[in-house]
Amino acid sequence: MSSKTIVQDDSENFKILVATDLHLGFEEKNLVRADDTFNTFEEVLQLAVKNKVDFILLAGDLFHVNQPSIASLERCISLLRTYCLGDKPINMEFVCDQAEVFKHCNHPTVNFEDQNLNVSIPVFSIHGNHDDPCGYREMSCMDLLSSMGLINYFGKQTNLQELKINPILLKKGSNKIAIYGLSHIRDERLERLFKDKKVFMNRPLEDVDDWFNIFVCHQNRVSRPGTKYLSEKCIPSHIMLTIWGHEHESLIDPVRGDSSSGYICQPGNSNKSSTVATSMCKGEAGTKYVGLLTISGKRFKMEPLELLTVRPMHFETVKLSECDEDVSNSKKTQEFVRSQIEDILLKLSLKRSGHPKQPKLPLIRLRVEYTNETQHFNGIQFGQEFQDRVANSNDMILLRMEKKSIQKKAKCIDDQVLSNIMDNEEMDNIEHIVDQYFRTANDENQLELLSVNGMAKAVDLVVNKSCPDAINKVVSHQMKKMKNYVIKQEGLNENNISDHIISYQSSRTQKSKDEANDVREVLSSQQHTSRSRNDSDNESNISFAKSDDEEISNDSSTSTGVQNVRGKRGRGSRGSRATTRARGRARGQTTLNF
């Protein structure tokens, strides 16, 4: 199977128009942009008729909201009646149990086999996160279109404790395709279901290896802060092509997934294949496409079809600090921005498709980053100059203070390596965990001046002996010893100092017991000094525990870098300020914040 393989024109081949994120009704109350989504949806349907496709496959978000206005519903219904009903014969068979695939519908029948309807181009669609069911009886606009026989609504799950996905099975001559639909589910819930192995894709009972398997979903595909996502590794290996809705980045050209789940086509909500720009961002500015999918046996190809009715859009960021012109005050800044807008309008006019229904007024978002308040001006008032030339004149200009670039410090801890070790080791054996970390970490994360044994002992004292200053003391002590050793070497110069450091570190590594005893002695002497100071000043500083069984309160003011935890999960400190001088081991264990 290959997306690069050219499929010959054969009457038995499946021809499918693939689209997603149509968002009908978006900006319908905006007099300038109200028709955008419907003009482009009509073009999508016209492309289906022109290319004589067997059916249209939608990957969610047909509407922008789950309860669209009557006007939006009427326009959608009218377009579907115009282009998807007619006398054109259907040259494919629906060979699975319709009652099972459409069991969530009031009329569980595929529309082109309904004797009361005359369907020429069937539409199969799942729901997305915008048009998902809600309210009484968990209904949405998709259920309404299904009851009218205008679309075949599949992939809706009514039991969220366990997902059983039954495929739509279609035959056309010798070709067979199985379409598995999974309408949008909250990513947190879906991740948990996959983790608990409660998601099942039921394969055909007969000729199981003869089917071209397609998976249609509408989920997050990549990890983002605060959100979950559907990992590609969850997709079963028998899936040959995944149509991925919802994601903004466009990858309509099929690519190999990270796992063995075949190819992934991500029509996206941006440069390719979403039919409307639903947000003013860089990813939305560009040519948009739908895909013409042709399937022959186990081979396929995806041909992008450019949409010509999409409103032109341009997104650009301008940093005044990098501007060669004089922009020292708001008046001069406005003159500069005005010239930029004129240049953008000229470029967009040259890129027009020429389609009679392509909107004349473009969308422009110019993000202006300034460095001085004297450069700031009223973007809304400025935009009024272009209200007859730009569709979004009120929010055309976005002004913001330029952020100073701050170079982040490189992490000194490899989180993945540490996580793998923690999964396989007990928290009690802290020294072994530290030792294993530096055995498996890459060269960039190895200790260059300090010894692993000394560091392991210090971390153990922090975690198990409630001594948060142990690491600082060990580091200071080892640095001092290293310095004393190096400066005593004969012929020391800047060219050989690294060799002497490596030599010292190697000698200390070979004396692991001496190193551990050295650490104990250093901290023991520090402890004795600390206790003496406590007795004289009547303060409650941290020291070694008198008894592991002694219960004490935890003073949060003296436990910087340390948190009480239960098992492997951290918890904040609790309790009032301690009144005892010596401290025993706190309940639970402790872990170091690296």
Side-chain angles (χ1 to χ4, degrees), residues 476-542:
S476 299
H477 175 71
Q478 291 191 342
M479 292 286 287
K480 183 178 180 180
K481 291 187 64 176
M482 176 82 72
K483 181 180 178 180
N484 291 337
Y485 171 84
V486 172
I487 61 178
K488 292 179 181 179
Q489 304 305 308
E490 296 182 1
L492 178 67
N493 57 59
E494 61 182 10
N495 295 324
N496 61 18
I497 187 171
S498 297
D499 296 334
H500 292 303
I501 292 175
I502 295 174
S503 175
Y504 176 80
Q505 185 182 35
S506 177
S507 66
R508 299 304 297 175
T509 301
Q510 296 174 2
K511 301 177 181 179
S512 59
K513 291 184 178 180
D514 294 342
E515 185 73 12
N517 292 331
D518 188 30
V519 170
R520 291 191 187 96
E521 291 177 3
V522 171
L523 294 175
S524 178
S525 62
Q526 295 282 354
Q527 174 194 358
H528 179 74
T529 303
S530 177
R531 284 180 175 176
S532 300
R533 187 182 299 112
N534 287 344
D535 291 337
S536 61
D537 298 338
N538 195 27
E539 294 179 350
S540 56
N541 293 329
I542 293 179

Side-chain angles (χ1 to χ4, degrees), residues 267-502:
N269 191 23
S270 55
N271 293 346
K272 296 181 180 180
S273 196
S274 169
T275 61
V276 63
T278 58
S279 61
M280 297 296 295
C281 62
K282 185 176 181 179
E284 294 281 10
T287 306
K288 296 183 180 295
Y289 297 82
V290 291
L292 180 61
L293 175 63
T294 305
I295 299 174
S296 177
K298 295 296 184 67
R299 300 178 301 165
F300 75 94
K301 72 173 182 180
M302 182 73 75
E303 178 186 354
L305 301 178
E306 181 179 351
L307 297 173
L308 305 178
T309 58
V310 177
R311 186 181 293 274
M313 178 179 173
H314 182 88
F315 182 96
E316 186 176 346
T317 299
V318 175
K319 294 185 177 182
L320 298 182
S321 61
E322 301 175 358
C323 180
D324 296 331
E325 301 182 26
D326 182 9
V327 287
S328 57
N329 56 52
S330 62
K331 184 177 180 180
K332 293 180 179 180
T333 300
Q334 290 183 65
E335 292 176 359
F336 169 73
V337 172
R338 189 176 290 109
S339 65
Q340 293 291 309
I341 297 295
E342 292 292 347
D343 291 341
I344 292 171
L345 287 171
L346 179 60
K347 293 177 182 178
L348 292 176
S349 65
L350 299 175
K351 294 181 180 180
R352 293 186 59 82
S353 67
H355 194 284
K357 286 195 174 183
Q358 184 182 35
K360 295 181 180 180
L361 302 184
L363 296 168
I364 296 177
R365 170 56 59 82
L366 189 63
R367 187 164 59 188
V368 181
E369 297 186 357
Y370 58 93
T371 56
N372 194 306
E373 289 294 340
T374 60
Q375 299 171 316
H376 188 275
F377 60 91
N378 190 319
I380 297 178
Q381 184 177 357
F382 176 86
Q384 297 306 308
E385 300 179 25
F386 299 89
Q387 61 180 344
D388 297 329
R389 303 171 64 189
V390 179
N392 62 317
S393 59
N394 286 338
D395 61 356
M396 177 179 66
I397 305 298
L398 177 63
L399 291 126
R400 61 172 59 181
M401 181 70 75
E402 182 178 343
K403 295 180 179 179
K404 295 181 180 179
S405 59
I406 300 176
Q407 187 174 5
K408 294 183 178 180
K409 295 182 179 179
K411 281 189 174 182
C412 59
I413 291 293
D414 191 324
D415 294 336
Q416 185 60 47
V417 173
L418 185 62
S419 177
N420 293 338
I421 296 173
M422 295 286 284
D423 289 339
N424 298 318
E425 300 290 344
E426 295 294 333
M427 282 291 293
D428 293 338
N429 199 352
I430 298 299
E431 292 185 62
H432 185 60
I433 290 176
V434 175
D435 180 70
Q436 287 298 310
Y437 171 81
F438 287 109
R439 287 179 183 273
T440 55
N442 55 37
D443 294 339
E444 296 179 354
N445 293 317
Q446 293 293 338
L447 296 175
E448 295 182 359
L449 298 178
L450 310 178
S451 69
V452 174
N453 296 321
M455 182 60 67
K457 186 61 183 176
V459 174
D460 178 62
L461 292 171
V462 170
V463 174
N464 290 326
K465 298 297 183 181
S466 299
C467 185
D469 294 334
I471 292 180
N472 290 333
K473 293 173 182 177
V474 169
V475 169
S476 299
H477 175 71
Q478 291 191 342
M479 292 286 287
K480 183 178 180 180
K481 291 187 64 176
M482 176 82 72
K483 181 180 178 180
N484 291 337
Y485 171 84
V486 172
I487 61 178
K488 292 179 181 179
Q489 304 305 308
E490 296 182 1
L492 178 67
N493 57 59
E494 61 182 10
N495 295 324
N496 61 18
I497 187 171
S498 297
D499 296 334
H500 292 303
I501 292 175
I502 295 174

Side-chain angles (χ1 to χ4, degrees), residues 4-53:
K4 302 297 183 181
T5 303
I6 302 299
V7 183
Q8 297 180 351
D9 185 15
D10 192 316
S11 60
E12 293 186 354
N13 291 346
F14 274 101
K15 296 182 70 176
I16 308 166
L17 190 75
V18 178
T20 184
D21 296 87
L22 294 146
H23 289 278
L24 296 180
F26 175 72
E27 289 285 1
E28 65 175 336
K29 294 183 179 180
N30 185 323
L31 296 179
V32 177
R33 304 176 63 184
D35 295 332
D36 287 11
T37 57
F38 298 99
N39 287 339
T40 306
F41 182 42
E42 182 176 21
E43 183 185 5
V44 172
L45 298 176
Q46 289 172 344
L47 287 172
V49 174
K50 178 182 177 180
N51 289 277
K52 300 178 181 180
V53 300

